[in-house]
Amino acid sequence: MVTGIISELDHIRRRLSRNSQRCERSRIGQFLTPTAIAQFMADLFERDFEEVRILDAGAGAGVLLAAGVEAFISKKQLLRSIEVVAYENDELMLPYLEDTIGRCEAACIKAGIAFNGKIRAKDFVAAGVALTEKGLFSERAERFTHVILNPPYKKINGQSETRKLLDAGGTEVSNLYAAFVWLAAKMLESGGELVAITPRSFCNGPYFRRFRIALLDMMTMRRIHVFESRKKAFGEDDVLQENVIFHAARGINKPLHVTISSSEDSDFRKVNVRRVPYEYMVLPGDSDAFIHLVLSDDDEDVMNRMRRFGTPLGELGMEVSTGRVVDFRAREHLRPQPEEGTVPLVYPCHFEDGFIRWPAESGKKPNAIVSSERTRDLMVTAGHYVLTKRFSSKEERRRVVAAIYDPQRIQAPLVGFENHLNYFHAGGKGLPSNLAKGLAVYLNSTLFDRYFRLFSGHTQVNATDLRKMRYPTRELLVRIGMHVKNRIPDQETVDAILEKIYKSNG
């Protein structure tokens, strides 16, 4: 229920979400926080301080900082003063932010609490790098007891000034939201708390690896909340990322358990909450620090089952790579249909019944690539390969969709795999037939799909993600492959085969 300081701010947010600036805000990655979400986030703070210092970087109209102030006033146990520092460089937002700061001051005065509100109309990344950089000429460090964030969601251009600033400050991230979180976390005092709402994409993949490792080293995760609906948390702003809220504390020993919760949308009256071992969230010894979100008993069962299949890809004598053919770069070498001097070019559209059906008759994608000295590095020699789509469509039930390239079905000495595919191989060459078939069945299983979703909240399937997975032994994969004839069985049969192998391996 929306009350107190922020009772009027939701009207402002809705008006701004509908006005003519909406496209511009989407361009800069700015999405205003609904008040129900802001209150939920503020209520996650646990520690009481006599003197509270709150940082809100990318404050917008100030909904988050207002929720934080309201939450601390309601506790009021040891509280003597609140200081708020709000960064916002969008001039459109500044009048609303000033009004919010005024509301916070009035509420604190009424409660007998000293208040000091500061608005810094400047770029937080530039300021944050200067304030956290260790060096002779760095600015005097600021420290906060609490950080509350809804940072901008936007990729960082590799040639931008922002990129150069972050690199100079040792903050190597690919998206602004990670930069905001990293810099803000550095500005917390020991024991200070951070609550942020961000895309879930940082939980896995190579682009956020350094950020994950640094964040988990500097901070201790206390709670992660997942929105089960991709669209409903920021429904008015067309946010398509899967979002999470996380609460972390700086410099606290890692707990034995972490709280994982979920709700379909911002109706927090219907929240599923569970405590899971910390080692379920980040697996011991995982050098990439993937974050798994175990939301139910079924998820925990999946974690336990996958431990039975504990073989790393390298021990299987296999590797996984991304397809070498980037079609817009090789356009002059592509041909709509096979002709003399060409070899097959495989796209996701060639997947059918768990195998590659080539050539495709639709005509939407080229079927062949010219074989020459200029294109030789884009191809691999003919053999059995297992391919997965790097992007799954909304219509597909599984995130990971696999198919077999069978050289006996497609007579060609070489083949090119397009960049929207990953391919499993043995040192750049094909796999034994039954091993490839068994791997394809395993990749298409419900168990594999459900485990994959525990750490991946988006539809992209990176080769790095597939390398992180664990697999049955080579012998078990060959046994599974013996069940495959001319097509991969239906889902029920695939799962039954895997269940039989799972029990026999017990």
Side-chain angles (χ1 to χ4, degrees):
M1 182 176 179
V2 179
T3 59
I5 304 171
I6 63 173
S7 59
E8 296 298 321
L9 295 184
D10 210 39
H11 300 299
I12 295 171
R13 182 190 65 83
R14 291 177 185 275
R15 185 165 69 249
L16 288 168
S17 293
R18 290 192 296 263
N19 73 11
S20 59
Q21 298 295 325
R22 180 173 176 176
C23 291
E24 173 62 16
R25 288 191 298 100
S26 180
R27 185 187 68 79
I28 63 177
Q30 181 190 67
F31 302 100
L32 304 181
T33 314
T35 50
I37 291 178
Q39 288 181 315
F40 177 82
M41 292 172 64
D43 287 341
L44 293 178
F45 288 129
E46 295 173 345
R47 291 191 62 190
D48 295 320
F49 291 81
E50 290 187 14
E51 298 178 347
V52 168
R53 301 193 69 241
I54 302 173
L55 170 66
D56 184 353
V63 176
L64 280 176
L65 68 88
V69 169
E70 186 173 75
F72 285 114
I73 290 176
S74 67
K75 294 178 182 178
K76 202 180 175 180
Q77 293 174 346
L78 304 172
L79 190 59
R80 293 192 305 176
S81 67
I82 296 177
E83 180 176 349
V84 172
V85 176
Y87 282 86
E88 181 53 62
N89 62 352
D90 182 352
E91 293 184 0
L92 174 68
M93 292 295 166
L94 293 179
Y96 300 105
L97 183 55
E98 290 171 0
D99 180 68
T100 300
I101 292 289
R103 291 171 185 266
C104 291
E105 182 174 20
C108 284
I109 291 173
K110 184 176 180 180
I113 299 168
F115 179 83
N116 182 21
K118 301 175 182 177
I119 297 175
R120 294 182 179 164
K122 57 175 68 174
D123 175 36
F124 175 68
V125 169
V129 169
L131 290 168
T132 59
E133 189 180 50
K134 294 180 180 178
L136 182 62
F137 302 105
S138 63
E139 296 183 29
R140 181 175 173 272
E142 278 191 300
R143 289 292 178 264
F144 296 90
T145 60
H146 299 83
V147 170
I148 190 164
L149 290 176
N150 177 7
Y153 308 169
K154 184 184 177 185
K155 290 184 179 179
I156 301 172
N157 187 304
Q159 305 302 316
S160 65
E161 287 301 314
T162 299
R163 172 77 283 150
K164 295 174 184 176
L165 276 171
L166 290 169
D167 287 349
T171 309
E172 296 178 12
V173 291
S174 60
N175 197 296
L176 273 179
Y177 81 78
F180 271 58
V181 171
W182 193 339
L183 291 169
K186 287 183 177 181
M187 297 166 77
L188 275 172
E189 64 180 47
S190 180
E193 299 174 80
L194 178 148
V195 175
I197 181 168
T198 73
R200 185 180 165 179
S201 53
F202 75 91
C203 290
N204 68 295
Y207 301 115
F208 293 94
R209 180 179 183 273
R210 185 171 181 185
F211 168 72
R212 274 193 311 276
I213 293 172
L215 182 68
L216 293 171
D217 181 60
M218 189 189 331
M219 309 287 291
T220 295
M221 285 289 181
R222 312 285 292 198
R223 180 167 177 172
I224 302 179
H225 182 84
V226 183
F227 292 100
E228 295 172 1
S229 170
R230 186 177 293 269
K231 297 182 178 180
K232 289 185 179 179
F234 291 96
E236 296 171 2
D237 285 313
D238 297 328
V239 177
L240 297 181
Q241 295 99 328
E242 190 166 321
N243 296 96
V244 295
I245 293 170
F246 60 91
H247 169 224
R250 180 157 189 184
I252 304 296
N253 292 332
K254 297 293 185 286
L256 294 177
H257 293 83
V258 62
T259 300
I260 309 290
S261 60
S262 62
S263 63
E264 184 178 357
D265 49 32
S266 58
D267 181 0
F268 296 106
R269 294 170 299 181
K270 302 175 182 178
V271 177
N272 173 46
V273 181
R274 65 188 292 109
R275 282 169 56 80
V276 301
Y278 195 88
E279 64 179 20
Y280 276 22
M281 184 184 73
V282 181
L283 303 183
D286 182 1
S287 60
D288 292 313
F290 276 25
I291 296 174
H292 301 73
L293 300 180
V294 181
L295 300 173
S296 65
D297 290 341
D298 288 343
D299 290 346
E300 199 161 330
D301 180 59
V302 167
M303 291 285 291
N304 291 327
R305 282 172 171 264
M306 285 298 290
R307 289 181 177 182
R308 191 75 59 88
F309 299 136
T311 309
L313 198 59
E315 288 187 16
L316 295 171
M318 285 191 278
E319 304 170 42
V320 60
S321 304
T322 301
R324 302 176 186 178
V325 181
V326 181
D327 55 7
F328 70 88
R329 293 177 182 167
R331 188 173 290 118
E332 63 181 294
H333 306 292
L334 307 185
R335 299 292 182 269
Q337 295 296 331
E339 58 186 56
E340 187 175 352
T342 67
V343 299
L345 175 59
V346 178
Y347 280 83
C349 64
H350 292 106
F351 282 38
E352 184 175 289
D353 294 331
F355 281 83
I356 297 303
R357 184 177 186 274
W358 183 92
E361 299 174 357
S362 66
K364 293 181 179 179
K365 294 291 184 181
N367 280 291
I369 181 170
V370 173
S371 179
S372 68
E373 288 297 319
R374 294 178 63 186
T375 61
R376 181 63 186 84
D377 288 343
L378 303 179
M379 305 168 190
V380 295
T381 56
H384 284 87
Y385 297 92
V386 178
L387 312 178
T388 67
K389 298 180 181 181
R390 288 183 58 207
F391 301 91
S392 56
S393 68
K394 295 178 180 178
E395 292 75 26
E396 287 168 324
R397 292 179 298 170
R398 297 190 310 273
R399 292 275 174 84
V400 180
V401 180
I404 301 161
Y405 181 87
D406 186 345
Q408 296 177 358
R409 299 188 180 199
I410 304 168
Q411 301 298 317
L414 301 168
V415 60
F417 299 133
E418 196 269 335
N419 191 247
H420 285 79
L421 297 172
N422 299 307
Y423 66 101
F424 288 81
H425 56 94
K429 297 182 179 180
L431 306 170
S433 174
N434 279 335
L435 180 63
K437 291 176 180 179
L439 176 61
V441 169
Y442 178 64
L443 293 172
N444 282 317
S445 70
T446 299
L447 177 64
F448 190 94
D449 181 72
R450 287 181 56 194
Y451 183 80
F452 189 88
R453 290 171 185 266
L454 294 183
F455 63 77
S456 177
H458 47 79
T459 57
Q460 185 170 352
V461 179
N462 297 305
T464 300
D465 297 335
L466 296 171
R467 293 187 195 106
K468 294 299 298 182
M469 299 291 286
R470 292 294 182 263
Y471 298 81
T473 64
R474 192 178 180 97
E475 292 74 20
L476 286 176
L477 286 174
V478 170
R479 281 171 54 193
I480 295 171
M482 293 173 66
H483 291 81
V484 178
K485 301 304 178 187
N486 297 322
R487 56 182 293 172
I488 296 291
D490 60 43
Q491 192 67 60
E492 185 177 352
T493 304
V494 164
D495 294 337
I497 292 170
L498 201 64
E499 180 67 17
K500 182 178 179 180
I501 294 294
Y502 174 81
K503 290 180 177 178
S504 68
N505 191 43

